[in-house]
């Protein structure tokens, strides 16, 4: 029995729990999951653990994922665990372990054990970390997936849309950056070197069987996503989305939860169209975006660039946004960069949710009232990051006004003029 | 002879110089200034100084202003000068001295002398810094303006739209935060306490005469701008905009350059409508926005929130964006906060300009090519902040790939696979 099976039968147990957090009717959430418009990632292995669940999709708050993981150049599993915990603490709803250093399995287990939010991984990395491209066998793809699932991963990115056909479209494109997805590039190269079809595509029924057994949610990876605004929304990207849309329906048929990943890099005026077109092609499955980044000229500030793109994408229907740190394109991020990026992505998500959900602006109105009252402790408590807010306001040294305007404070001059 | 007079006669001298920087035909720029769709702030007193000019308005790159200034609680003129210089260095196109500490005139002269970009001020502060509200006389408003103009200020914010009538609309509103504009609140309170009409409105012809004499650009302040998303786009705000639209036409009639300031705080889905409606009401005068901030819950991160709102507003037609620092709503900003906020606002402006101007994305494409070549020094040189970019990338320790992916770099695996 998967969650989708429950949903289709109207068994509300899990939905009641999650609906409380989501501030939605359990029956409505149940319907969303039954129809595939929302997912609740949860490996059955974790169903009796204390896990902070979240629902991702239509009519729900925009969710935030943080990526962590070792790299071939920096192997520090404890450091990555600290990043994962910092992300959870900062309010990330899920975390993905994208480790490609060594001892992947032990790192993965450490992360799954170390956090209480759902954990995702990208099984395709593992064979390529251990073997040269040409030496990776078809069965290595599935073996890796099986191991991730059995370790208790709640959702897996499967780059099943990188196929012989879509790679052909890619080769005909005028892209500057080709493939920038790690899983996408490895898969495309493997297809090219072996001449074989992507096993995750060819054996998608087996992938579904495996995921169904542990009720693992599939996140269909966008291996051909653009790597710069020049490459955005081209034929190669769309050819992959069409395949992903077909796979969404196959997953739904067998009751496996599925969402779809998207770009990447998109000029700001194309984000609305990009998100809406994607929603249509993938049959309203939850959309999981990385960014999108509406400019390429700001390395060191891509956390801000992604917040800009993410807020716009969220407003137009993106359901799940992956954190992008200040180190993106430059280096493995630090713990503090991960933390800050989670906050920025939560801000972007809230900005979008103000538009999407009726009650979201109550938080803003409460802050406005606290400001109207010049009630600083209330402002600090209401802030998305009370610690940083308090630190900055501390420079104002305990006055009832802040050090920007002092007694010429506009609120004191007008709204509270009767008190002065 | 004002610049508008020159423009109307087709005298191209100044326009040729500025058009070069703007990458536009001098004749086209001349027409934009003649029609009032663009302004080039420059006090005649500065016309023989080496001054970095900029044009603001339709068809031009989105410009960035940074605010600095002493406060009653922090009086450090040298520190504010350092902030102004840091803002110029970081790429701000103009700077505004919003000082309300003491010795306003000496601080203002120091800033005007200390930077080579156009300087703006808000003359209405000065009488209220020196006197109690009820003691400020009608002539104090104009005297302050005269002193600012003669000191060589290139543009002045005039809150002429806060009138007895618009304050009446404000009082009928259901706002949480009343007035949050410093100049707006002081003016409204003065109107209320004295029963007199706003001298900048009543004597607008005199304001125009004064500005015309030194060819100072007027920035019509939005004294009734909303202070939270709840208060956005209400009748009070619009009633002021209608007045400002009328004043725009009066300024144009006598050849005085004019732009109009706007909100403030606006939910992200209302920004497009807010900017477009404002452009219409003010007869396509250049629009100068503060933010807008699409959420109120992120004090400490309002530089990021403003970048989100600014990018969206810029895309829909905002011409000039005022920097908002991380300290907004909390304290007087530090030099580093001003610097960072200028960079973020420039990023937001560039994201908008990619949409508005044909050639803007060349910069992004160059960066994409540098990434495709794994050419790190070129990426650093192209970055909007090369120093920060280099600092972060230094963590990758001189490899041809970065520490995020190492040899599993997607670009190495696919685009540059022939080299490995």
């Amino acid at each position: 029995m998967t969650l989708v099976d429950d949903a289709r039968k109207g068994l509300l147990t899990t939905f009641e729990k999650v609906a409380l957090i989501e501030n939605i009717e359990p029956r409505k959430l149940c319907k969303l999951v039954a129809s595939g418009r929302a997912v609740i990632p949860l490996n059955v292995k974790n169903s009796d653990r204390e896990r902070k669940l979240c629902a991702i999709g239509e009519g729900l708050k925009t969710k935030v994922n943080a990526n962590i993981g070792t790299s071939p150049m920096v192997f520090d599993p404890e450091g990555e665990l600290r990043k994962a915990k910092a992300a959870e603490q900062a309010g990330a709803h899920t975390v993905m372990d994208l480790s490609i250093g060594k001892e992947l399995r032990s790192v993965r287990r450490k992360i799954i054990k170390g956090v209480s939010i759902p954990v995702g991984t990208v099984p395709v990395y593992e064979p390529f970390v251990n073997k040269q491209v040409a030496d990776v066998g078809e069965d290595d793809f599935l073996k890796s997936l099986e191991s991730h699932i059995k370790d208790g991963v709640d959702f897996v990115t499967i780059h099943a849309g990188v196929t012989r056909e879509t790679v052909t479209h890619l080769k005909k494109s005028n892209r500057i950056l080709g493939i920038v997805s790690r899983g996408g590039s490895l898969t495309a190269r493997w297809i090219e070197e072996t001449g074989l079809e992507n096993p995750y595509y060819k054996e998608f029924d087996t992938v579904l069987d495996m995921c169904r057994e542990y009720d693992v949610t599939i996140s269909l990876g966008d291996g051909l996503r653009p790597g710069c605004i020049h490459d955005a929304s081209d034929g190669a990207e769309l050819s992959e989305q069409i395949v992903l849309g077909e796979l969404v329906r196959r997953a739904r048929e067998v009751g496996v939860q599925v969402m779809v990943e998207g770009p990447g890099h998109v000029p700001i005026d194309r984000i609305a169209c990009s998100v809406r077109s994607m929603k249509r092609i993938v049959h309203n499955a939850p959309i999981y975006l990385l960014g999108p980044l509406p400019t390429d000229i700001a390395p060191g500030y891509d956390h801000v660039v992604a917040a800009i793109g993410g807020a716009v994408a969220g407003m137009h229907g993106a359901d799940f946004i992956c954190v992008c740190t200040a180190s993106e394109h430059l280096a493995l991020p630090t713990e503090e960069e991960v933390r800050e990026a989670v906050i920025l992505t939560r801000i972007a998500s809230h900005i979008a949710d103000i538009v999407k959900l009726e009650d979201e602006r109550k938080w803003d109105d409460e802050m406005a009232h606290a400001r109207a009252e010049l009630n600083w402790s209330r402002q600090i408590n209401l802030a998305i990051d009370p610690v940083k807010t308090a630190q900055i306001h501390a420079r104002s040294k305990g006055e009832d006004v802040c050090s920007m305007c002092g007694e010429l404070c506009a609120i004191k001059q007008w709204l509270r003029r009767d008190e002065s």
Side-chain angles (χ1 to χ4, degrees), chain A:
Chain A
M1 287 285 289
T2 65
L3 204 61
V4 175
D5 296 336
D6 285 355
R8 287 173 182 167
K9 287 184 183 155
L11 298 177
L12 291 181
T13 326
T14 306
F15 303 107
E16 277 166 351
K17 205 161 59 180
V18 181
L20 258 182
I21 312 163
E22 296 289 342
N23 190 26
I24 185 178
E25 283 290 308
R27 209 160 291 277
K28 196 175 167 192
L29 180 58
C30 177
K31 271 188 191 166
L32 287 169
V33 172
S35 68
R37 288 173 181 241
V39 298
I40 300 174
L42 175 66
N43 188 314
V44 288
K45 290 195 73 169
N46 300 318
S47 53
D48 49 358
R49 285 180 57 195
E50 263 313 314
R51 211 145 183 91
K52 286 184 211 150
L53 295 185
C54 73
I56 302 162
E58 200 177 293
L60 302 162
K61 287 185 198 185
T62 309
K63 300 303 184 300
V64 172
N65 173 75
N67 290 339
I68 57 98
T70 65
S71 94
M73 289 164 72
V74 186
F75 183 71
D76 175 11
E78 288 305 322
E80 295 308 317
L81 178 60
R82 279 196 301 275
K83 289 181 198 171
K85 287 181 171 177
E88 178 178 351
Q89 176 108 42
H93 301 93
T94 66
V95 66
M96 289 191 80
D97 170 25
L98 306 187
S99 288
I100 53 167
K102 49 193 173 179
E103 303 163 23
L104 298 197
R105 188 161 212 179
S106 107
V107 175
R108 169 163 80 242
R109 288 175 167 175
K110 188 189 288 281
I111 302 294
I112 293 170
K113 208 176 142 197
V115 298
S116 56
I117 49 180
V119 174
T121 56
V122 185
V124 78
Y125 297 156
E126 196 147 0
F128 293 96
V129 167
N130 297 320
K131 293 180 181 177
Q132 291 298 306
V133 173
D135 298 334
V136 172
E138 286 180 272
D139 55 341
D140 287 324
F141 284 76
L142 294 169
K143 272 188 205 154
S144 175
L145 173 60
E146 189 180 18
S147 135
H148 283 242
I149 288 173
K150 289 192 170 163
D151 285 339
V153 159
D154 300 294
F155 61 105
V156 282
T157 291
I158 299 290
H159 294 91
V162 180
T163 66
R164 287 192 291 205
E165 184 197 321
T166 59
V167 170
T168 306
H169 287 296
L170 176 79
K171 287 181 171 177
K172 289 178 190 165
S173 78
N174 68 339
R175 287 193 172 188
I176 297 176
L177 270 162
I179 308 180
V180 295
S181 153
R182 221 151 59 178
S185 67
L186 293 165
T187 305
R189 189 161 173 184
W190 184 87
I191 290 172
E192 189 177 63
E193 291 197 14
T194 64
L196 299 170
E197 185 53 282
N198 177 350
Y200 288 141
Y201 178 74
K202 193 174 143 203
E203 307 292 344
F204 194 66
D205 286 334
T206 312
V207 169
L208 291 175
D209 286 345
M210 286 177 172
C211 290
R212 193 181 151 79
E213 192 181 346
Y214 288 79
D215 204 0
V216 165
T217 298
I218 294 177
S219 182
L220 289 167
D222 55 337
L224 303 186
R225 68 171 175 266
C228 56
I229 60 170
H230 174 277
D231 296 353
S233 312
D234 69 346
E237 183 186 342
L238 292 191
S239 74
E240 182 184 35
Q241 268 178 19
I242 293 166
V243 174
L244 300 184
E246 291 160 4
L247 299 180
V248 163
R249 298 183 75 176
R250 285 172 63 186
R252 285 180 182 170
E253 274 167 22
V254 296
V256 170
Q257 297 192 95
V258 62
M259 55 189 167
V260 184
E261 298 179 14
H265 296 246
V266 186
I268 194 167
D269 63 328
R270 298 198 61 83
I271 293 176
C273 164
S274 170
V275 170
R276 287 175 177 190
S277 151
M278 189 176 161
K279 267 272 180 189
R280 168 67 187 89
I281 296 176
V282 304
H283 313 290
N284 298 302
I287 289 183
Y288 177 17
L289 293 192
L290 178 59
L293 301 175
T295 181
D296 300 313
I297 54 91
Y301 297 89
D302 277 332
H303 54 327
V304 177
V305 175
I308 294 172
V312 176
M315 165 171 70
H316 291 291
D319 305 290
F320 191 25
I321 301 180
C322 185
V323 155
C324 181
T325 75
S327 285
E328 185 73 21
H329 299 109
L330 296 174
L332 200 69
T334 65
E335 183 183 330
E336 177 49 30
E337 285 170 349
V338 170
R339 200 196 71 83
E340 192 184 5
V342 170
I343 299 282
L344 262 54
T345 314
R346 284 183 59 213
I347 292 170
S349 297
H350 175 69
I351 287 171
D353 288 346
I354 287 171
V355 177
K356 291 196 284 192
L357 302 169
E358 210 175 329
D359 289 340
E360 275 298 299
R361 64 172 66 198
K362 280 185 187 165
W363 185 6
D364 299 79
D365 291 353
E366 278 189 62
M367 179 65 84
H369 282 292
R371 284 180 174 152
E373 294 157 9
L374 295 173
N375 184 335
W376 296 97
S377 62
R378 195 169 161 217
Q379 289 176 52
I380 289 167
N381 287 335
L382 281 167
I384 195 162
D385 185 348
V387 174
K388 188 173 180 190
T389 303
Q391 274 167 0
I392 295 178
H393 187 251
R395 297 206 307 261
S396 288
K397 296 194 188 93
E399 307 275 340
D400 66 337
V401 289
C402 95
S403 61
M404 171 70 92
C405 305
E407 291 300 314
L408 286 184
C409 168
I411 293 166
K412 265 198 130 164
Q413 287 298 325
W414 182 254
L415 197 63
R416 311 193 78 75
R417 62 193 180 282
D418 296 337
E419 295 168 19
S420 64

